[in-house]
Amino acid sequence: MIFENQVRKTLKKIGLKKNEKILVALSGGKDSTTTAYLLKKFGYNIQGLHINLGMSSYSERCMNVVKKLSEDLGINLNIYDIKKEMGSSMCYLRASVQSAKNLKNCAICGVIKKSILNKEARKLKVNKIATGHNLDDEVETFLLNILKGSLQLSANIGAITKNIPDKKFVSRIKPLFYLTANEIRKYSKQKNLPVVYEKCPCALDSYRIQIRKFTDKLSKSEKENIIKNFEKLQRKIKRENKKIIYCEACGEPSMKNICKKCELLKI
Ligand code: SF4
Ligand SMILES: [Zn+2]
């Protein structure tokens, strides 16, 4: 099957080994669900992590499908409840940041989730974190970074992250990197996977959505061309020679004395 073979090819390119412990970031959406389904099908050693963002009934629906998927696949599911662990739901955390800074919902949510994911992955002693990012996401990110005027921000894009090596960073892989959102939707429906197909109610105002209006009009081969050209260019992007230090507030790896998450939350 072409779809599954593309994922196998990506995993080969990444060099993922069967004895590695992988934590799949499960949101309940089609991408992360398909990622977990295929990694398990191909015989990888996976477990899931679901971050319950506490966004009312939407989060409940996400949690239910993630539980169902984990049962169906027979994998261990770890749940991080943001209300219990951080004192408030993502909506409140975001609102408090937005009262001081003009930042979009997803920009705040993304930074917080990334930090949680890395920390939990380390606690669980896994070798890799797998996320459901697809070709559309990556094309959008690349174009966003160009529009922001910083190609440097794209230095870390790829089917496997190329973080500056550090014992506290768990590297992230994206098995669906070369597949479009439409292909993934079709596949997940064909396989009848438990998925919440509705959009996140908070993804209303992101800059990314503006870009998506443009990229949605592109064909798959045009999207592939953007990524192929980006990959050629990426070899030439000079990495900033910054040292990893640890955040003075939370101890997580960071480029500055205070990491992005703590800076946002004023910890
Ligand atoms: S769509 Fe945006 S706000 Fe919703 S969960 Fe994802 S990053 Fe967070
Ligand atoms: Zn911090």
Side-chain angles (χ1 to χ4, degrees):
M1 195 180 183
I2 299 168
F3 184 92
E4 293 186 4
N5 284 343
Q6 178 57 70
V7 180
R8 285 184 204 274
K9 238 166 99 181
T10 307
L11 296 174
K12 200 171 165 205
K13 189 172 169 184
I14 293 168
L16 192 66
K17 301 194 181 60
K18 291 276 164 75
N19 60 358
E20 290 187 276
K21 278 172 83 180
I22 305 157
L23 184 67
V24 186
L26 291 171
S27 67
K30 64 182 189 324
D31 305 310
S32 57
T33 302
T34 303
T35 303
Y37 172 79
L38 284 174
L39 286 173
K40 180 71 184 173
K41 179 171 180 177
F42 298 160
Y44 288 95
N45 179 7
I46 67 163
Q47 54 182 302
L49 173 73
H50 176 64
I51 303 175
N52 181 359
L53 300 171
M55 300 193 300
S56 66
S57 60
Y58 173 75
S59 288
E60 275 166 38
R61 285 195 288 286
C62 290
M63 172 92 94
N64 289 341
V65 296
V66 166
K67 280 184 179 166
K68 166 89 171 69
L69 175 80
S70 305
E71 266 171 42
D72 292 353
L73 299 181
I75 61 168
N76 189 32
L77 174 65
N78 307 278
I79 295 175
Y80 182 99
D81 191 310
I82 211 160
K83 266 192 197 166
K84 275 191 212 145
E85 305 285 342
M86 298 178 75
S88 6
S89 71
M90 181 56 79
C91 307
Y92 281 101
L93 291 175
R94 263 195 324 248
S96 65
V97 173
Q98 283 164 333
S99 63
K101 282 187 178 138
N102 181 22
L103 282 173
K104 308 288 185 200
N105 283 354
C106 296
I108 301 165
C109 185
V111 166
I112 297 174
K113 285 195 302 186
K114 221 180 204 175
S115 172
I116 295 171
L117 202 52
N118 190 63
K119 203 169 170 186
E120 293 305 299
R122 227 177 37 242
K123 268 196 218 158
L124 293 164
K125 296 188 171 45
V126 297
N127 306 97
K128 299 259 176 0
I129 296 167
T131 65
H133 291 89
N134 59 46
L135 184 64
D136 293 75
D137 299 324
E138 301 303 311
V139 168
E140 287 162 18
T141 303
F142 175 53
L143 294 178
L144 264 170
N145 291 342
I146 288 186
L147 293 177
K148 281 184 195 161
S150 176
L151 202 56
Q152 185 67 45
L153 286 173
S154 296
N156 209 18
I157 294 182
I160 182 160
T161 49
K162 299 163 190 79
N163 286 328
I164 302 163
D166 181 88
K167 62 179 190 310
K168 281 191 161 187
F169 263 134
V170 183
S171 72
R172 292 187 299 276
I173 59 166
K174 300 168 185 170
L176 307 181
F177 189 82
Y178 296 100
L179 290 157
T180 64
N182 274 340
E183 289 172 305
I184 299 163
R185 187 174 298 105
K186 221 166 118 190
Y187 180 85
S188 64
K189 286 193 171 169
Q190 230 174 46
K191 297 288 171 190
N192 208 14
L193 299 178
V195 166
V196 172
Y197 285 101
E198 69 194 88
K199 289 214 167 75
C200 166
C202 297
L204 301 172
D205 58 354
S206 96
Y207 192 15
R208 183 177 285 272
I209 291 173
Q210 310 288 332
I211 304 282
R212 195 168 298 156
K213 284 185 189 153
F214 163 69
T215 55
D216 273 352
K217 294 188 192 105
L218 302 177
S219 65
K220 180 173 184 189
S221 63
E222 285 169 322
K223 290 173 190 168
E224 283 172 335
N225 284 342
I226 293 177
I227 284 298
K228 267 184 217 154
N229 281 303
F230 161 67
E231 285 178 329
K232 277 185 214 157
L233 204 69
Q234 198 183 34
R235 287 171 222 139
K236 293 183 186 146
I237 303 176
K238 258 192 127 190
R239 271 160 199 290
E240 283 175 303
N241 211 10
K242 282 192 177 162
K243 247 186 87 192
I244 295 283
I245 48 177
Y246 299 115
C247 171
E248 286 170 9
C250 71
E252 285 298 292
S254 172
M255 292 293 183
K256 296 184 186 165
N257 291 349
I258 299 291
C259 76
K260 274 193 203 164
K261 180 206 74 184
C262 292
E263 196 189 316
L264 284 180
L265 298 177
K266 296 259 175 282
I267 293 173

